Amino acid sequence: MIDLDPRLAADSVLVADGPLSQFRLMDDARFPWLVLVPRVPGATEWIDLAGDAQRLLLAEVNLAGRLLRGLGPVHKLNVGALGNVVRQLHVHVVARQEGDAAWPGPVWGAGLRQPYVADRREALLSSLRSALAAAALPPESA
């Protein structure tokens, strides 16, 4: 278990636990957007992870990108680990469409978040969980 930053908990929904990270769906219907939160206490930077964990996080980022592409057309995947506001290590993977609400700028700070309608969020979570289970990664090596 990890002690999830309250801002991440408030703005996202758990999809599933991967080998290293929680896969979380950002609750903003404007952008298909996953956040990976490694279950590594005290980690604030990628370099805080051991080499095996860094490689596993990269594999999870790649998987998150494939999951988002599986939802529909994606013109660009944005990947970022900023941590200027939320210090806990987390990696954003955002599926972008030309002409989306923030295009071509970053999604952070672009307008107001539009939470998913409950049935749409549940359908999306179900789809992501099924795809994630089908593409299981190997467990973290000790």
Side-chain angles (χ1 to χ4, degrees), residues 18-21 23 36 39 46 49-63 137-141:
L20 177 68
S21 305
F23 281 67
L36 304 176
R39 293 182 307 278
W46 193 293
L49 303 177
D52 286 349
Q54 288 180 10
R55 287 183 287 281
L56 186 51
L57 181 54
L58 177 58
E60 290 179 337
V61 167
N62 290 337
L63 176 55
L137 291 170
E140 179 182 11
S141 53

Side-chain angles (χ1 to χ4, degrees), residues 115-138:
Y116 284 98
V117 175
D119 60 341
R120 172 67 181 127
R121 183 182 59 241
E122 291 309 312
L124 184 54
L125 287 169
S126 178
S127 176
L128 288 167
R129 287 173 181 146
S130 294
L132 190 56
L137 291 170

Side-chain angles (χ1 to χ4, degrees), residues 16-35:
D17 280 315
L20 177 68
S21 305
Q22 282 191 353
F23 281 67
R24 303 187 65 84
L25 174 68
M26 285 298 286
D27 193 14
D28 190 341
R30 298 173 303 155
F31 314 103
W33 183 350
L34 293 172
V35 176

Side-chain angles (χ1 to χ4, degrees), residues 9 17 24 39 43 47 50 68 79 88-89 91-92 98-99 101 103 107 112 115-116 125-126 129 139 141:
D17 280 315
R24 303 187 65 84
R39 293 182 307 278
I47 62 173
L68 291 172
V79 177
Q88 181 175 24
L89 178 59
V91 180
H92 299 268
E98 289 182 21
W103 189 266
V107 296
L112 297 175
Y116 284 98
L125 287 169
S126 178
R129 287 173 181 146
S141 53

